[in-house]
């Protein structure tokens, strides 16, 4: 709810849930996350079983995501 005491992580998870609901994610086969930053949306989509790819101009963020998601796959 607006003005609540959500952490940034919780607020992002709520946003991701809203996006998936609006997209009817069960009909989505894959996602391309452009400027994926630290991969939080990718993480949400991967946990839903969606084949996901992220791109970012930041080499530091790209390396972080490679390490983060190599543990999932």
């Amino acid at each position: 709810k607006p003005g609540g005491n959500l952490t940034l992580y919780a607020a992002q998870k709520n946003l991701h849930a809203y996006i998936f609901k609006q997209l009817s994610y069960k009909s989505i086969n894959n996602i391309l996350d452009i400027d994926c930053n630290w991969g939080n949306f990718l993480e949400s989509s991967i946990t839903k079983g969606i084949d996901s790819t992220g791109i970012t101009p930041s080499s530091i963020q790209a390396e972080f995501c490679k390490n983060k998601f190599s543990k999932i796959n």
Side-chain angles (χ1 to χ4, degrees), residues 26-57:
K26 293 178 182 175
S27 65
I28 298 172
N29 295 324
N30 51 50
I31 286 179
L32 173 61
D33 186 357
I34 298 172
D35 197 12
C36 66
N37 297 307
W38 301 103
N40 292 334
F41 187 73
L42 288 175
E43 182 178 24
S44 292
S45 62
I46 289 169
T47 59
K48 292 193 176 297
I50 301 170
D51 184 25
S52 305
T53 302
I55 58 174
T56 178

